[in-house]
Amino acid sequence: MSTEKSAKLGSLDKEYDLPIHSGTVGPSVVDVSALYGTSGQFTYDPGFTSTASCKSSITYIDGEQGILLHRGYPIEQLAEHSTFLETCYLLLNGELPNTDEAQEFENAITQHTMLHEQMDRFFHGFRRDAHPMAIMVGVVGALSAFYHDSTDINDPEQRKIASRRLIAKIPTIAAMAYKYSIGQPFVYPRNDLDFASNFLHMCFSVPCEEMKVSPTLARAMDKIFILHADHEQNASAATVRLAGSSGANPFACMAAGIACLWGPAHGGANEAALEMLNEIGSVDRIPEYINRAKDKNDEFRLMGFGHRVYKNYDPRARVMQATCHEVLKELGITDDPILDVAMELERIALNDDYFVEKKLYPNVDFYSGIILKTMGFPTSMFTALFALARTVGWVAQWNEMIEDPSQRIGRPRQLYIGHPARDYTPINKR
Ligand code: CMC
């Protein structure tokens, strides 16, 4: 970070000099951290649309150009050439691993895939129809009650073990949530399988017969995980950082991230996007839904469209669209009516003035639902899969925050619009 210039802020009858910091690429920032101390005023930015909440070297997004880089590497190259575990290593450590480092990391993740045996009682405490995200919030938070030897956030070794445990155990938890919902026995992880194949095996195998995971589907799953691995200071990552800023343990922080991701404006959008495509049902009904999306008096939005940061095609959506075709081909599905609706909807929206003017493009969630449904996942599992993949991003962001010497508890301020001080009125006088 370099500081070379300063901005002048005119406020009341005074002028304040505010330092401007520049990063390596992307917009510079006006540092207002001392503003309250000198002027007695706060800045006001609901939704943080103009506020950088931290400095970070993990992920860079250029929303205008549709660029997403992890530690400098374009997401398209990682999706094409890397694996999810290698991308995890990159996000956590800043560099791609050499052969020994990759092997050590893979072994460590593989060795942590099992859950404490007693944890399955948590699952049995939930109703069968519990949403997998409800189970994930609870069970991931409960990890803090089982792994006391990795909750001291001031010990780098404990942080490393907690990080690896989280990445390794979350697929097991997600698969168990799924198995529980369909009344099938839990399937233990298999350490001879790669990360994605193991996850598919835990989800779709049953003890009474052998299951061979398709390498094409495993590769597609791995790509989906890579595409969701991190996305800089999105709502759930910011939630993890805020929870962690108080010194809360990593498992509790990840549970907070999962809770935030659950919302339909964030991770819940892939579920909502597929439900919307199903509701539209056929290409001839698309204009009706486009009109509804444009109608100010209708709350309906095209799910899987638009993004706070991308004002261009989400680069992840492109890879997702190609992966979608690969998966359908592998499964011998030559004609999928929902994919037809999706492609036509995309075509119409991209040529419609409303969407063009507002720069609304398909985001990562637009095609992911179709792939996941085709693989056999129910819609209720979609956000759980997002959480599985995003755990590494949360963990990397959390570690970066703890290691930052300037880190303080996150404590936003407010513009108070309530009553000024007034006297308490007894109940018989109200
Ligand atoms: N359909 C129709 N109109 C839309 C849509 C949409 N999907 N998204 C935004 N708009 C309109 C919106 O009505 C507003 O219009 P106006 O300026 O006339 O009031 C304008 O575009 C700007 O929208 P906004 O809500 O102010 O933008 P935002 O940055 O606060 O919201 C968003 C971003 C992703 C929440 C929003 O685009 C949305 O709700 N999209 C649908 C849900 C979705 O797909 N979410 C997944 C996001 S990607 C996965 C992730 O990172 O979690």
Side-chain angles (χ1 to χ4, degrees):
M1 182 174 89
S2 64
T3 308
E4 277 148 22
K5 291 177 268 175
S6 74
K8 292 208 185 302
L9 179 75
S11 171
L12 301 176
D13 50 354
K14 285 207 179 132
E15 211 172 62
Y16 300 94
D17 263 338
L18 302 170
I20 297 180
H21 309 306
S22 300
T24 37
V25 274
S28 52
V29 300
V30 179
D31 183 344
V32 294
S33 56
L35 186 65
Y36 178 62
T38 50
S39 76
Q41 285 171 312
F42 299 135
T43 55
Y44 180 60
D45 184 17
F48 305 119
T49 50
S50 298
T51 297
S53 59
C54 62
K55 47 184 189 306
S56 179
S57 57
I58 302 173
T59 292
Y60 172 72
I61 303 174
D62 182 333
E64 294 299 325
Q65 302 291 324
I67 290 171
L68 168 60
L69 309 177
H70 290 321
R71 303 287 191 183
Y73 296 104
I75 190 67
E76 296 88 343
Q77 290 184 24
L78 292 171
E80 173 88 24
H81 305 296
S82 186
T83 62
F84 179 64
L85 277 193
E86 188 183 65
T87 304
C88 288
Y89 184 97
L90 174 70
L91 288 167
L92 291 172
N93 299 290
E95 295 297 337
L96 288 166
N98 63 28
T99 313
D100 291 346
E101 289 163 339
Q103 195 58 54
E104 188 277 329
F105 184 68
E106 202 171 319
N107 290 347
I109 296 295
T110 307
Q111 278 161 19
H112 283 297
T113 48
M114 273 177 64
L115 286 187
H116 190 292
E117 192 62 11
Q118 220 176 312
M119 287 205 83
D120 72 354
R121 298 198 201 150
F122 278 89
F123 290 84
H124 292 287
F126 285 98
R127 280 172 53 138
R128 288 277 172 198
D129 61 357
H131 195 288
M133 287 296 275
I135 298 182
M136 303 261 289
V137 173
V139 175
V140 171
L143 291 172
S144 18
F146 285 82
Y147 299 101
H148 300 292
D149 59 344
S150 53
T151 52
D152 179 357
I153 64 158
N154 298 313
D155 177 349
E157 193 52 29
Q158 291 205 26
R159 288 205 303 271
K160 183 164 126 185
I161 296 170
S163 305
R164 292 176 168 198
R165 277 189 170 138
L166 277 157
I167 294 164
K169 291 185 197 309
I170 200 121
T172 316
I173 294 172
M176 286 171 81
Y178 172 56
K179 283 299 197 191
Y180 184 72
S181 73
I182 54 170
Q184 288 188 0
F186 299 139
V187 176
Y188 282 105
R190 271 199 26 202
N191 290 355
D192 59 322
L193 297 177
D194 63 77
F195 190 87
S197 302
N198 172 50
F199 177 64
L200 292 172
H201 188 263
M202 286 191 292
C203 287
F204 297 120
S205 72
V206 282
C208 47
E209 60 187 63
E210 190 79 14
M211 179 203 171
K212 199 166 164 359
V213 178
S214 145
T216 309
L217 294 191
R219 180 68 194 129
M221 187 81 264
D222 205 60
K223 258 190 207 179
I224 293 175
F225 291 156
I226 295 173
L227 294 177
H228 287 89
D230 190 49
H231 215 222
E232 52 117 307
Q233 308 313 316
N234 56 84
S236 57
T239 301
V240 169
R241 279 185 180 256
L242 196 57
S245 76
S246 71
N249 76 68
F251 305 109
C253 296
M254 299 310 133
I258 294 170
C260 177
L261 186 77
W262 196 354
H266 192 5
N270 52 14
E271 191 174 334
L274 187 69
E275 276 161 9
M276 177 195 73
L277 293 172
N278 277 323
E279 191 185 311
I280 298 175
S282 60
V283 168
D284 56 305
R285 296 190 63 203
I286 293 173
E288 176 195 333
Y289 282 84
I290 293 270
N291 288 338
R292 282 189 61 195
K294 289 162 34 176
D295 182 355
K296 279 265 156 263
N297 301 315
D298 190 330
E299 282 185 359
F300 174 79
R301 282 186 169 197
L302 277 194
M303 299 312 285
F305 259 80
H307 199 274
R308 169 59 63 81
V309 181
Y310 292 118
K311 301 302 165 200
N312 201 324
Y313 211 100
D314 179 341
R316 302 168 300 171
R318 270 190 220 291
V319 182
M320 207 59 99
Q321 192 198 50
T323 308
C324 188
H325 288 291
E326 281 162 27
V327 167
L328 292 174
K329 190 165 161 230
E330 165 72 9
L331 296 175
I333 302 169
T334 45
D335 184 25
D336 181 71
I338 297 303
L339 181 64
D340 292 345
V341 172
M343 293 191 42
E344 186 59 7
L345 183 63
E346 176 185 340
R347 193 191 63 76
I348 294 177
L350 291 182
N351 289 297
D352 187 290
D353 285 350
Y354 174 93
F355 291 89
V356 173
E357 273 161 26
K358 293 188 189 303
K359 300 187 178 172
L360 298 169
Y361 293 85
N363 59 49
V364 67
D365 291 321
F366 192 61
Y367 285 102
S368 63
I370 302 176
I371 309 180
L372 297 175
K373 181 201 76 155
T374 311
M375 282 179 162
F377 288 106
T379 47
S380 60
M381 274 299 286
F382 292 1
T383 318
L385 295 176
F386 192 159
L388 184 172
R390 183 56 61 84
T391 297
V392 64
W394 294 330
V395 166
Q397 300 281 345
W398 174 81
N399 273 297
E400 186 181 63
M401 179 194 68
I402 308 271
E403 284 161 18
D404 181 350
S406 67
Q407 186 265 323
R408 305 167 72 191
I409 186 167
R411 178 42 172 107
R413 304 305 297 259
Q414 63 174 7
L415 176 66
Y416 179 67
I417 54 166
H419 283 285
R422 52 180 172 162
D423 290 326
Y424 178 80
T425 337
I427 194 160
N428 58 351
K429 300 260 171 66
R430 288 174 214 161

